[in-house]
Amino acid sequence: MKIAFDFDDVLTDFVSEFLRYCNENDGTSFVLSDVLEYDLQPLFKRPHAEIVDKVFKFYQSGSLKSLQPQNKAVDVVEKLSKDHELIVITSRPTQLTAETTSWLDSHFPQRFSKIILTHHFSNDGNARGEKNDVCLREKVDLIIDDSPEWAEKCANSGVRVLLFDRPWNHGVSDHKNIIRIKQLTDVLQVI
């Protein structure tokens, strides 16, 4: 089976670290449970472009290197890699290809056969495709993601989705191709 993993908030807890960075730099006191939508605009009450700029400042601060794998992610990926082909499909901008690849090589050496950055989370409008299209092109059987939008689009395209439970995806409607998981070890039971 070919299995795709999202990067941020599946393999690593990006949002918690980003909120910590914002709290330290902006004097805010946000916590993960405050993030009730995938789009951070309602939380920050700032235009999308400003939020993207803030995320890029987070990346440039060196904080990206300090991100740690989600609980049990290393074990789950290692076990799955023995019997399945694993790839990463992330909405990260292509400018982060080197940093993303380096981080994955450091924490998950030789576990992923391909890393695809769709450049969807950027200000320039040059996305390299939507995750559902990438999944179809790459012949992905299953994707593990946290985004409500990508979960529904992938499911509607016929790709099975394991939706990693996060506060911002509780509004995802029932779909025959979506299974909600509470922790990454649930992946092993589903597969």
Side-chain angles (χ1 to χ4, degrees):
M1 181 183 314
K2 193 169 193 178
I3 302 170
F5 279 81
D6 178 35
F7 188 96
D8 294 307
D9 294 300
V10 171
L11 290 174
T12 187
D13 187 0
F14 171 82
V15 170
S16 291
E17 288 302 310
F18 178 64
L19 293 177
R20 182 192 54 73
Y21 169 83
C22 293
N23 291 342
E24 288 175 3
N25 289 286
D26 302 336
T28 54
S29 57
F30 297 124
V31 295
L32 187 66
S33 60
D34 292 334
V35 185
L36 300 177
E37 295 181 43
Y38 190 71
D39 182 352
L40 293 173
Q41 281 180 287
L43 180 66
F44 286 97
K45 297 177 178 48
R46 298 272 187 235
H48 178 76
E50 283 185 33
I51 296 168
V52 171
D53 288 342
K54 174 73 79 182
V55 170
F56 271 92
K57 286 179 183 168
F58 171 74
Y59 291 148
Q60 293 165 346
S61 74
S63 297
L64 185 62
K65 292 177 184 173
S66 67
L67 291 174
Q68 294 299 306
Q70 286 278 12
N71 185 33
K72 303 291 183 181
V74 172
D75 296 336
V76 169
V77 167
E78 182 180 341
K79 287 176 183 168
L80 289 173
S81 69
K82 292 177 182 175
D83 298 316
H84 306 282
E85 180 183 356
L86 307 181
I87 68 172
V88 172
I89 303 174
T90 175
S91 296
R92 284 181 167 209
T94 53
Q95 299 99 302
L96 297 176
T97 299
E99 293 92 339
T100 302
T101 301
S102 175
W103 190 93
L104 287 166
D105 287 345
S106 173
H107 295 284
F108 302 95
Q110 301 176 348
R111 298 293 184 230
F112 296 101
S113 64
K114 189 179 263 191
I115 302 163
I116 301 166
L117 287 78
T118 66
H119 197 70
H120 214 275
F121 191 69
S122 66
N123 277 337
D124 63 14
N126 291 320
R128 294 179 147 182
E130 298 197 341
K131 281 189 181 182
N132 54 309
D133 295 330
V134 174
C135 284
L136 293 174
R137 184 175 64 241
E138 294 293 325
K139 297 179 177 31
V140 168
D141 299 295
L142 174 78
I143 185 167
I144 304 159
D145 210 306
D146 66 297
S147 163
E149 175 185 5
W150 298 130
E152 289 176 341
K153 285 184 176 186
C154 288
N156 288 334
S157 295
V159 178
R160 289 180 50 218
V161 178
L162 296 184
L163 183 61
F164 191 56
D165 190 51
R166 308 301 278 168
W168 51 85
N169 64 29
H170 288 181
V172 172
S173 55
D174 289 338
H175 193 290
K176 66 178 181 160
N177 287 334
I178 299 176
I179 298 172
R180 183 176 294 277
I181 59 171
K182 297 285 186 186
Q183 54 197 6
L184 282 179
T185 53
D186 293 347
V187 173
L188 301 173
Q189 278 69 51
V190 172
I191 294 176

